[in-house]
Amino acid sequence: MQVQGVSVGPPHPTKRATPSTLLRAPLLAPPSATPTQTVQQASPAPVYLQDSKTLGFLEAAKQLGIKNKLRPAEFSGLRGMCLPMESLDKPAEGEVLVSVPRRSSITLAPKQRCPFPDWIKTEYWQSAPWFAKLGLLLLRERNLGQASRLSAYVAQLPSSFDHPVLWQERARLQQLQCPAMIQQVEEQQREWAGLYKELCDKGVQPGAQPVSREDFFWALCAVRSRTFSGPYIGSTLADRLRLGAFVGVLALTNISLGLADAQRTLSAAVAVFLFNIIYEVVLSRSLKQYAMCPVIDFINHSSREQSEVSYDYFLDCYTVAASKAYAKGEQIFVSYGSQTNYSLLQYYGFVEADNPNDCYLMTNILKWLEDRATLDKGRLEALEKDGLLSSLKLVSVAPTGFPASTLQALRFLLAPDAEASKGLSAFESGASAEIEARLAEVLVHACSSELASLGTTLAEDQALLKSAKPAKGLSGPDRLAVAFRIEKKKVLHSCLKALTS
């Protein structure tokens, strides 16, 4: 049997950005969802939010120039956005549903100077990562209270989060039943603790308002779960037109005063204008900007959606357009990019059921291999030399199979001496029927052993989550942990099915 490989990478802490599109970064709860629930593709009937805080925020959004055709609602207890039932017309595919002026968002430009040097020292600001800077921008808006033009937006943000980075008890992290995820979260905990210590030690100006650990971590969670990132556009269309007018005036002045030849002056003016445009295009490919967008971050995520957040250069605003002709009352989704449940839980605080981008990170494949074969030290050294040993230390298992690099390394380790002497390249696309059969046996054993080592079965976890009521029983973090390990076990079961079918 020929074992097919798929190329699947480990979860990446940030979302990719394309030159014309802004994607949510996490780095990447769904922006408006309670973290104790998973985002479902099905859209139940909406229950519109009529509370004074929500209505006040929508009114404030209008004052900020935000144009919005959607309405906040709850879908089986999960807050999101939908097309109102009372809409006169259904939007056509490609029609803009929400637009947020850049001035009405919390935006961080690359190499932006510290906007409050009387509060935060410039040295700390310059060395801090983007999400810490954006977190401080958010905290400043919250500290301003009603004096902030974004006060209604800040008041709408969750008052607390259930992100794993906040799970201080190791026993709770162990409920994830995933060593790779636990390691990633513990590294994040150390990173955030270090950022806060540095802020306290040498970040806040003497006599300025201190930042509590609780507030700092709240801001980081809000930023990590609600921020969009994309290519930096330093100048708007209006800026470009002003530049063109300025260059034109200089050229005409030189010509009218006889200071320069008309043809050369006009050529120079055109060259200056084009250089600035080309420079900005090149600059936008290498630099990122980050933005928290009111209203837009009410929209939940679905991996099956094509909609994404874009920047409209001509209007200088962030927009969400309809990816299809939505029905009235239907929940609107956007895609945060190709995110696994590792990154969705770690950076967004939720788990997506049946996520088509999900994988299982296996760290024990060499252990499971030793159950079936004797490992040759010389071959392991050859894998290390060729850079393929890493494909056996952290294996990204997809529902459809194992990565091609892992299969190549395993074939090499399982091959008889005569065949192994041909070198690693001989096993890139396959091997003999005998080796492929041994490989399939090892992979089935690895998946089965991994499932058996997790402590609970898929059926047990599904029954636990189904029986636990949100109001009592499992807490928010505990429900998240169970939901997460359910999805990981589903990946392994699907992979086993693909291997044995």
Side-chain angles (χ1 to χ4, degrees):
M1 170 174 76
Q2 182 76 25
V3 180
Q4 299 297 320
V6 293
S7 179
V8 181
H12 199 278
T14 59
K15 293 185 178 179
R16 62 182 178 84
T18 57
S20 61
T21 305
L22 289 170
L23 298 178
R24 186 173 292 267
L27 300 205
L28 18 356
S32 54
T34 53
T36 58
Q37 301 183 14
T38 60
V39 176
Q40 303 294 333
Q41 180 65 16
S43 184
V47 178
Y48 296 124
L49 298 177
Q50 302 284 356
D51 60 283
S52 58
K53 181 185 289 187
T54 300
L55 295 178
F57 166 67
L58 293 177
E59 184 59 35
K62 294 179 183 178
Q63 302 301 317
L64 291 171
I66 297 174
K67 298 178 181 179
N68 173 34
K69 297 180 181 179
L70 307 179
R71 190 169 174 182
E74 283 193 353
F75 302 85
S76 299
L78 181 67
R79 193 172 71 169
M81 297 289 278
C82 71
L83 188 66
M85 295 295 293
E86 64 271 17
S87 296
L88 297 178
D89 299 305
K90 292 192 297 185
E93 182 177 346
E95 183 176 339
V96 173
L97 302 174
V98 183
S99 65
V100 179
R102 182 160 57 162
R103 67 178 183 277
S104 299
S105 65
I106 302 177
T107 304
L108 177 70
K111 299 182 180 180
Q112 178 176 321
R113 293 182 179 180
C114 180
F116 25 68
D118 57 329
W119 178 37
I120 300 298
K121 294 181 180 179
T122 301
E123 295 79 10
Y124 178 84
W125 177 268
Q126 291 175 341
S127 64
W130 69 266
F131 56 90
K133 295 177 183 177
L134 202 53
L136 291 170
L137 288 170
L138 174 60
L139 285 175
R140 171 48 65 98
E141 296 295 334
R142 191 171 77 164
N143 292 341
L144 288 173
Q146 293 301 314
S148 167
R149 61 196 302 265
L150 298 175
S151 59
Y153 167 62
V154 175
Q156 279 289 308
L157 296 176
S159 59
S160 62
F161 294 93
D162 283 333
H163 292 54
V165 69
L166 303 179
W167 303 357
Q168 295 303 313
E169 307 88 351
R170 183 166 177 80
R172 176 160 280 165
L173 285 177
Q174 293 290 350
Q175 292 185 45
L176 294 169
Q177 297 181 354
C178 183
M181 180 64 168
I182 293 172
Q183 179 182 348
Q184 289 175 190
V185 172
E186 289 179 336
E187 289 175 357
Q188 186 184 18
Q189 289 176 336
R190 288 191 290 270
E191 178 192 25
W192 286 22
L195 287 172
Y196 180 67
K197 184 178 187 302
E198 187 177 1
L199 176 65
C200 293
D201 291 347
K202 52 184 179 181
V204 180
Q205 292 285 8
Q209 181 179 0
V211 181
S212 71
R213 180 188 177 95
E214 180 181 3
D215 286 347
F216 187 64
F217 279 34
W218 170 85
L220 295 189
C221 284
V223 164
R224 285 300 236 175
S225 61
R226 312 177 78 86
T227 298
F228 298 89
S229 72
Y232 172 62
I233 305 296
S235 303
T236 65
L237 178 62
D239 295 330
R240 289 286 153 222
L241 292 175
R242 283 192 290 269
L243 173 64
F246 177 70
V247 172
V249 168
L250 286 179
L252 290 175
T253 301
N254 282 345
I255 294 171
S256 63
L257 296 177
L259 299 177
D261 177 72
Q263 184 175 353
R264 291 183 178 180
T265 299
L266 291 175
S267 297
V270 171
V272 169
F273 186 68
L274 290 177
F275 171 80
N276 277 272
I277 293 178
I278 293 171
Y279 175 78
E280 184 145 306
V281 170
V282 173
L283 187 69
S284 71
R285 293 178 178 177
S286 59
L287 298 177
K288 276 188 176 184
Q289 64 178 340
Y290 300 90
M292 297 182 70
C293 301
V295 178
I296 287 179
D297 66 3
F298 272 35
I299 304 174
N300 287 325
H301 159 81
S302 171
S303 294
R304 296 167 180 81
E305 280 292 325
Q306 299 300 315
S307 295
E308 51 192 24
V309 180
S310 302
Y311 173 70
D312 189 318
Y313 174 76
F314 296 100
L315 298 178
D316 192 26
C317 64
Y318 305 106
T319 65
V320 173
S323 61
K324 62 180 182 180
Y326 286 97
K328 294 180 180 181
E330 183 178 358
Q331 183 174 184
I332 308 298
F333 294 94
V334 295
S335 171
Y336 300 177
S338 299
Q339 304 275 0
T340 67
N341 275 321
Y342 288 100
S343 53
L344 288 178
L345 176 57
Q346 183 175 358
Y347 296 105
Y348 300 87
F350 74 99
V351 176
E352 182 180 16
D354 301 316
N355 181 352
N357 303 307
D358 211 3
C359 67
Y360 180 90
L361 294 179
M362 186 180 293
T363 57
N364 291 321
I365 196 164
L366 285 174
K367 175 183 176 182
W368 308 135
L369 177 59
E370 286 183 303
D371 292 342
R372 291 291 188 270
T374 301
L375 298 182
D376 183 278
K377 184 178 179 181
R379 296 192 198 181
L380 290 174
E381 290 175 351
L383 289 174
E384 179 73 48
K385 182 178 179 181
D386 280 46
L388 271 181
L389 189 59
S390 60
S391 69
L392 299 177
K393 293 180 178 179
L394 184 64
V395 183
S396 183
V397 182
T400 51
F402 283 69
S405 58
T406 300
L407 300 182
Q408 181 184 2
L410 290 174
R411 290 186 186 109
F412 178 66
L413 292 175
L414 293 169
D417 291 339
E419 292 192 53
S421 63
K422 299 177 182 177
L424 267 168
S425 59
F427 302 95
E428 187 172 352
S429 58
S432 67
E434 178 185 357
I435 295 175
E436 291 298 307
R438 291 191 68 193
L439 175 60
E441 179 188 351
V442 167
L443 297 178
V444 169
H445 174 68
C447 288
S448 301
S449 300
E450 195 79 18
L451 283 166
S453 71
L454 296 180
T456 56
T457 66
L458 174 60
E460 289 170 341
D461 286 342
Q462 289 174 328
L464 178 60
L465 194 62
K466 185 177 181 179
S467 63
K469 303 297 182 183
K472 57 183 179 179
L474 293 177
S475 66
D478 294 335
R479 288 180 64 84
L480 277 174
V482 175
F484 173 81
R485 67 195 198 213
I486 283 175
E487 297 307 312
K488 297 298 140 183
K489 290 168 186 173
K490 285 161 70 173
V491 170
L492 289 175
H493 277 286
S494 295
C495 186
L496 263 177
K497 185 178 180 180
L499 290 168
T500 56
S501 62

